[in-house]
Amino acid sequence: MTVPDPVALSQDLIRCRSVTPDDGGAIAVLEAALQPLGFSCHRLRFEEAGTAPIENLYARIGTQGPNFCFAGHTDVVPPGDATLWRHDPFGAVIDNGTLYGRGAADMKSAIAAFAAAAARYISTGKPYGSISLLITGDEEGVAINGTQKMLRWLSQNGERLDHCLVGEPTSTARAGDTIKIGRRGSMNTRLTVRGVQGHVAYPRQAANPLPAMAWLVSRLSAEVLDTGSAHFDPSTLAFTTIDTGNAATNVIPAEVRAGFNIRFTDQHTPDSLKARIAGAVEATKKEFGCEIETVYQVSGVSFLTKPGAFTELLANAAQKMTGTRPDYSTTGGTSDARFIKEHCPVAELGLSNATMHKANECATIADIALLTDIYSEVIGSYFANPPR
């Protein structure tokens, strides 16, 4: 058995222009690396009306339990202005010990590292249950035709996951210094305050929606949702836009729109947050006599994998390879772990996130090698003494 070189495989994946929803050949590259190792690969293509089709991959070796799964995504965000990059965003150039390219940190190199680590363990001939990879091409997009539908497919086909490690770039200074054991939830809200358009010289003949919106924005922005908890930073409410679409200087607009995002801890649910927002909206309507429309979009609810045997296994593996105990964290944005948590215990461990989504995204060769070693230790420890 030939163990894949994690750096070479990272380069092959980065050279695939897999900007969501395009696959760019990335799934085929990974499949070609896993099949010679003995993995049974299932290409899963999902689509529905109004969304782009997405290529996904579920690969498994072994038929017995426990099934230790690695989850990740081959899709990447757009590179942006190519002139800001030191090298071609999809060139996968190694310069002075660093691999540059879109996906180097988030998270093609982690996928390559796990594939290499799995191959190392399989080649030892030591006993194991099953090792699987759940790889989507829709994590950076709307996440409709990716992990959620893959998990349904697994359930329909009798595939059970016992524990899952997600390879998101969780670390700060170097690979393995931080493990995500949960995430805050995320809810976007759009507000529309409607009034009556009119001439600015005759404001009494109009109904200006802007004062009402300003009052509502101030009220919501002043909300203290909580002060955090043992594992979560405080919930936050941040406005992202206020807009009338009005280019005229002598017209009172008919409506004004605003949007905000709430990142919330396990002290809240989407329904409890909606109730708080509704209270502020009703108070504004009463104060100004205006019409207000509210639209919600919940991206994910908060969750926590409580520290225990599984998280300790990951932390011990990272500490053994780095010499430093990793931090547990729940900070950052959402990830597909929010879907996987419904199926099995899940945690996230990967490369540094310092350059993710930026120009000149990169990962050092040393860090990719270190992450491969950490993953190798995780797999060996897992099957030596599966956590309960």
Side-chain angles (χ1 to χ4, degrees):
M1 175 188 297
T2 301
V3 175
D5 176 356
V7 174
L9 182 53
S10 297
Q11 289 179 291
D12 289 342
L13 290 169
I14 290 168
R15 290 182 183 120
C16 299
R17 295 175 178 265
S18 54
V19 177
T20 322
D22 294 331
D23 168 60
I27 292 295
V29 166
L30 182 58
E31 183 179 28
L34 294 175
Q35 282 184 330
L37 304 177
F39 281 86
S40 296
C41 296
H42 302 271
R43 297 276 288 271
L44 304 173
R45 181 183 173 91
F46 298 118
E47 61 183 300
E48 61 181 65
T51 63
I54 296 293
E55 295 288 339
N56 306 280
L57 176 69
Y58 177 67
R60 176 172 176 168
I61 185 168
T63 58
Q64 304 297 315
N67 182 3
F68 181 59
C69 181
F70 175 88
H73 61 91
T74 52
D75 64 317
V76 297
V77 298
D81 185 353
T83 64
L84 298 177
W85 285 75
R86 188 171 304 163
H87 303 285
D88 179 353
F90 299 102
V93 172
I94 296 175
D95 183 358
N96 196 27
T98 298
L99 172 61
Y100 288 86
R102 182 58 85 219
D106 186 18
M107 53 166 287
K108 291 179 174 181
S109 298
I111 294 172
F114 187 85
R120 284 183 190 174
Y121 185 76
I122 295 165
S123 68
T124 66
K126 293 179 180 179
Y128 63 94
S130 298
I131 301 173
S132 59
L133 291 92
L134 187 75
I135 307 298
T136 183
D138 195 27
E139 197 275 343
E140 300 288 7
V142 294
I144 291 175
N145 294 316
T147 297
Q148 291 190 83
K149 289 187 177 179
M150 293 181 75
L151 291 167
R152 281 189 226 119
W153 183 91
L154 293 184
S155 296
Q156 292 165 0
N157 287 271
E159 291 282 335
R160 173 183 169 180
L161 308 181
D162 290 282
H163 293 84
C164 185
L165 174 63
V166 180
E168 288 288 348
T170 59
S171 300
T172 53
R174 66 171 179 171
D177 65 19
T178 305
I179 298 171
K180 301 284 187 183
I181 60 170
R183 297 276 186 162
R184 292 186 299 176
S186 177
M187 184 172 77
N188 290 303
T189 304
R190 301 289 295 182
L191 300 169
T192 303
V193 179
R194 295 189 173 91
V196 177
Q197 183 175 311
H199 197 294
V200 294
Y202 304 96
R204 293 179 182 176
Q205 296 179 11
N208 195 336
L210 284 164
M213 179 64 86
W215 195 78
L216 180 55
V217 169
S218 295
R219 180 174 179 135
L220 288 172
S221 297
E223 287 265 1
V224 177
L225 297 173
D226 57 66
T227 58
S229 63
H231 294 291
F232 286 94
D233 288 342
S235 299
T236 58
L237 187 157
F239 273 86
T240 56
T241 183
I242 301 174
D243 180 52
T244 64
N246 181 19
T249 59
N250 59 350
V251 177
I252 292 171
E255 66 178 35
V256 57
R257 299 167 297 281
F260 62 91
N261 176 268
I262 299 178
R263 295 298 166 108
F264 57 95
T265 73
D266 55 356
Q267 299 170 68
H268 306 279
T269 66
D271 285 343
S272 70
L273 292 171
K274 290 176 185 179
R276 295 179 72 146
I277 295 166
V281 167
E282 288 303 314
T284 307
K285 290 165 69 174
K286 183 177 179 179
E287 178 73 18
F288 291 89
C290 57
E291 177 188 349
I292 303 176
E293 178 186 8
T294 311
V295 177
Y296 303 101
Q297 180 188 29
V298 179
S299 300
V301 297
S302 62
F303 74 94
L304 177 71
T305 299
K306 292 183 179 180
F310 180 50
T311 60
E312 284 298 292
L313 184 151
L314 299 177
N316 289 339
Q319 183 174 9
K320 182 175 180 179
M321 293 299 108
T322 66
T324 304
R325 192 73 176 173
D327 294 325
Y328 288 152
S329 172
T330 58
T331 61
T334 59
S335 76
D336 278 359
R338 70 190 190 274
F339 306 129
I340 299 168
K341 69 177 177 61
E342 302 295 338
H343 293 256
C344 68
V346 59
E348 303 171 57
L349 171 60
L351 293 166
S352 168
N353 56 31
T355 63
M356 64 184 292
H357 292 203
K358 294 182 179 180
N360 296 311
E361 180 180 348
C362 61
T364 66
I365 303 305
D367 242 20
I368 296 172
L370 176 59
L371 186 63
T372 305
D373 291 341
I374 293 171
Y375 285 166
S376 295
E377 182 64 25
V378 166
I379 296 170
S381 299
Y382 183 89
F383 290 113
N385 186 23
R388 304 297 180 188

